[in-house]
Amino acid sequence: MTQYVLNVIEPVMEPGFTPPPEFLEPVMRKVNAVSDEIKAAGEWVFAGGLNGPDATTVVRHQDGETLMTDGPYVEGKEHVGGFTIVDSPDLDAALAWAGKYAEATGLPIEVRPFRY
């Protein structure tokens, strides 16, 4: 089995913006159903949602100093808004889970294997 991260790619919104409940609740029901299916298959490892880019701090070490900068490293129209880690038998299985999340959310899902 190989672990994969399924990144939910969200559009950048105004800080503090949350979709209205009438939009968000049915999406979250579908997402939770996919998560339950992954758990039942024994492939679920961990999942979490992330705050937007406005909550980001980038830390780098340069010229003997540790520097911290507010905001993302690169400005963009999209960001990783959440992720699920699965332990799947192969890439095809991980892609199938990503397809279910993409259908549930209407958002792109990036699939990436962990480096061992």
Side-chain angles (χ1 to χ4, degrees):
M1 301 278 267
T2 301
Q3 289 187 343
Y4 298 86
V5 62
L6 312 179
N7 289 317
V8 179
I9 308 301
E10 295 181 357
V12 173
M13 302 291 189
E14 291 295 319
F17 173 80
T18 301
E22 60 271 12
F23 174 82
L24 193 56
E25 287 172 3
V27 170
M28 290 312 300
R29 272 196 302 277
K30 293 175 190 174
V31 166
N32 290 334
V34 174
S35 296
D36 290 344
E37 190 178 348
I38 295 171
K39 290 174 186 176
E43 295 182 38
W44 189 86
V45 176
F46 180 78
L50 301 171
N51 287 316
D54 59 303
T56 301
T57 303
V58 177
V59 180
R60 24 175 111 70
H61 193 80
Q62 183 177 331
D63 298 327
E65 292 186 57
T66 300
L67 307 172
M68 293 179 225
T69 308
D70 290 339
Y73 177 68
V74 175
E75 296 255 347
K77 295 180 182 178
E78 302 174 320
H79 66 99
V80 176
F83 62 91
T84 298
I85 298 172
V86 295
D87 194 14
S88 295
D90 54 36
L91 177 60
D92 289 338
L95 292 171
W97 292 127
K100 290 182 181 222
Y101 275 132
E103 181 180 352
T105 63
L107 296 169
I109 308 297
E110 175 191 55
V111 178
R112 194 181 302 186
F114 277 82
R115 194 180 315 172
Y116 293 99

